[in-house]
Amino acid sequence: MSAIVTRNECQFPATATAAASAGRILGPNHRWKVLGIGVAANAGFSATFSGIPATAVAMRQGYHLGNAELGLALGLLGLGVALSELPWGVLTDRWGDRRVLLTGLGATAAWLFIMAMVVVPTKTAVPGVTLLSASLLVAGLLGGSVNGSSGRAIMGWFGEGERGFAMSIRQTAVPLGGGLGALVLPSLALAMGFAPVFGLLAALSALSAFFAWRWLHEPPTQGEAHAAAATNGPAPLRNIEVWRISTAIGLLCFPQVAVLTFASVFLHDFAGMGTWVTSASLAAVQTGAMAMRIWSGRFTDRHGNRRPFLRLCAALSALAFLVLWLLAIAAAGQPALMVFLPVMVVVAGISVSAWHGVAYTELATLAGAGHVGTALSLANTLVFVGFCLVPIAIPWLLIVFAWPGVWLAAAICAAIAWPIFLRPA
């Protein structure tokens, strides 16, 4: 392992000591409350940025959108997060997790409540695509506060031997919130409209803010650890290895975003599946991703093989989307094969969603204790560039290459990520 990594890894025991000191004041199990807050906050926002795209069919109908307009609206939700991630991460390293989470979650809850009041279709008026897109952009800008801040708190409270497991549990919040959103929000939107959809999401953000206010505390000597890290370690934006992992994370999220945003449209339009099948398929992707993230965190903590695991996940994801590409081509000529498409979407979606906790742990370790918020936010910026670009690009890929071309492009992105991930030291 490089000298950069070795130096930064040595910074975390000081933070672990701080966490142990805090544990004596707040109780030995307080770190699990901190982890729970990270899970709750990420699940609440995941229900927004993954759950809203799951309502794509209902949104297209309710707001009278074409595929290109739908892609623009969903893409701007991701763009908002991408634009705000790095500023929120820098603020987290300076202000601490508590202030950032309370500010971001509170503002997100308030904005979603406003959307529930004024940005919903009614019998007399339908909001235009401009208003809807701008509203989702603001929701993303505010919600970007969640990702880097909760990850920094968890890295501070847990020791080296359990950080991968803890971060993987935290990352299960993304498929947990997305899975619940995929199960609940499409049916809710079809039955009652989008006012209760945005209202429910506002309530989840407000509840997460309450938990953060009640239990999220910095370790008492966190400031000392931060100062040492800031002095001894290179800034993440000048660390080529941090950039490589962040770039690979962003690329590997492109095919994942394709599944989250347009798999329901693919299964509905191409395979002729109903709302129940599309919702169940996305929920299965999220459930499988949760299980795999927890397992992968524990597995790599025990074996110290984060980097080989990440490269393997990229290769398997590329293979899974290649199979989906071939199956879509075959199903176009043999309609009997359509029944296998939801299964393959689930397999590909799980394979490309299993690695997040491991990747973020490796990235945070490389960055050092004082730079965790910035490093995680750098990666999340590139992730949400994907959430912006992919929904906008897919309608154009459909025009030129049809659905098989979408899944081939997803396979290519995963294949490119494989060599970018760092080799074992």
Side-chain angles (χ1 to χ4, degrees), residues 30-40 154 158 166 169-170:
H30 187 77
R31 70 189 190 282
W32 297 106
K33 293 181 181 179
V34 173
L35 177 57
I37 293 165
V39 170
I154 291 166
F158 284 83
I169 291 177
R170 179 250 195 183

Side-chain angles (χ1 to χ4, degrees), residues 154-204:
I154 291 166
M155 289 297 292
W157 276 93
F158 284 83
E160 172 61 28
E162 54 188 6
R163 284 193 187 111
F165 180 58
M167 285 289 281
S168 293
I169 291 177
R170 179 250 195 183
Q171 288 302 118
T172 64
V174 177
L176 173 62
L180 292 175
L183 278 177
V184 174
L185 296 186
S187 299
L188 186 62
L190 289 171
M192 302 178 66
F194 278 86
V197 169
F198 296 138
L200 177 60
L201 295 174
L204 290 175

Side-chain angles (χ1 to χ4, degrees), residues 28-91:
N29 294 321
H30 187 77
R31 70 189 190 282
W32 297 106
K33 293 181 181 179
V34 173
L35 177 57
I37 293 165
V39 170
N42 277 268
F45 186 59
S46 176
T48 300
F49 77 74
S50 295
I52 289 177
T55 69
V57 174
M59 183 174 286
R60 188 172 60 180
Q61 296 172 354
Y63 288 89
H64 303 167
L65 305 175
N67 278 343
E69 293 174 318
L70 175 66
L72 174 64
L74 297 179
L76 286 182
L77 174 62
L79 176 63
V81 184
L83 291 175
S84 66
E85 274 285 348
L86 197 54
W88 281 120
V90 173
L91 285 176

Side-chain angles (χ1 to χ4, degrees), residues 7-33:
R7 181 169 60 249
N8 286 340
E9 284 184 328
C10 291
Q11 296 160 5
F12 275 105
T15 307
T17 302
S21 174
R24 290 192 291 270
I25 298 172
L26 297 171
N29 294 321
H30 187 77
R31 70 189 190 282
W32 297 106
K33 293 181 181 179

Side-chain angles (χ1 to χ4, degrees), residues 173-419:
V174 177
L176 173 62
L180 292 175
L183 278 177
V184 174
L185 296 186
S187 299
L188 186 62
L190 289 171
M192 302 178 66
F194 278 86
V197 169
F198 296 138
L200 177 60
L201 295 174
L204 290 175
S205 291
L207 185 62
S208 298
F210 170 77
F211 288 146
W213 171 79
R214 180 67 179 84
W215 286 310
L216 183 59
H217 302 284
E218 298 276 348
T221 56
Q222 179 76 31
E224 297 174 11
H226 171 84
T231 301
N232 296 329
L237 300 183
R238 296 197 298 268
N239 187 334
I240 187 61
E241 293 186 322
V242 167
W243 273 99
R244 281 188 61 178
I245 291 186
S246 298
T247 301
I249 287 172
L251 278 171
L252 200 51
C253 279
F254 275 42
Q256 180 188 359
V257 174
V259 171
L260 293 178
T261 56
F262 269 84
S264 61
V265 177
F266 167 68
L267 293 175
H268 178 273
D269 292 357
F270 183 83
M273 304 296 172
T275 301
W276 188 90
V277 173
T278 59
S279 295
S281 298
L282 288 177
V285 169
Q286 304 286 23
T287 302
M290 288 172 55
M292 287 300 297
R293 289 181 189 190
I294 293 174
W295 172 83
S296 65
R298 176 63 75 185
F299 176 77
T300 55
D301 273 349
R302 290 178 175 175
H303 297 278
N305 60 342
R306 291 175 193 149
R307 294 185 181 185
F309 179 83
L310 293 172
R311 291 169 64 86
L312 177 63
C313 283
L316 291 178
S317 297
L319 177 61
F321 280 98
L322 279 175
V323 173
L324 182 57
W325 166 57
L326 293 172
L327 182 59
I329 293 174
Q334 296 290 333
L337 296 176
M338 292 289 184
V339 68
F340 297 106
L341 288 174
V343 176
M344 199 60 229
V345 165
V346 171
V347 171
I350 292 174
S351 69
V352 81
S353 304
W355 49 270
H356 288 70
V358 176
Y360 283 112
T361 304
E362 180 67 13
L363 178 61
T365 302
L366 275 170
H371 302 305
V372 172
T374 302
L376 295 184
S377 295
L378 172 62
N380 283 321
T381 295
L382 300 178
V383 167
F384 283 97
V385 166
F387 270 92
C388 171
L389 295 180
V390 171
I392 294 173
I394 284 178
W396 297 103
L397 286 174
L398 287 175
I399 292 173
V400 179
F401 300 109
W403 280 108
V406 171
W407 305 126
L408 177 60
I412 292 171
C413 288
I416 294 173
W418 173 74

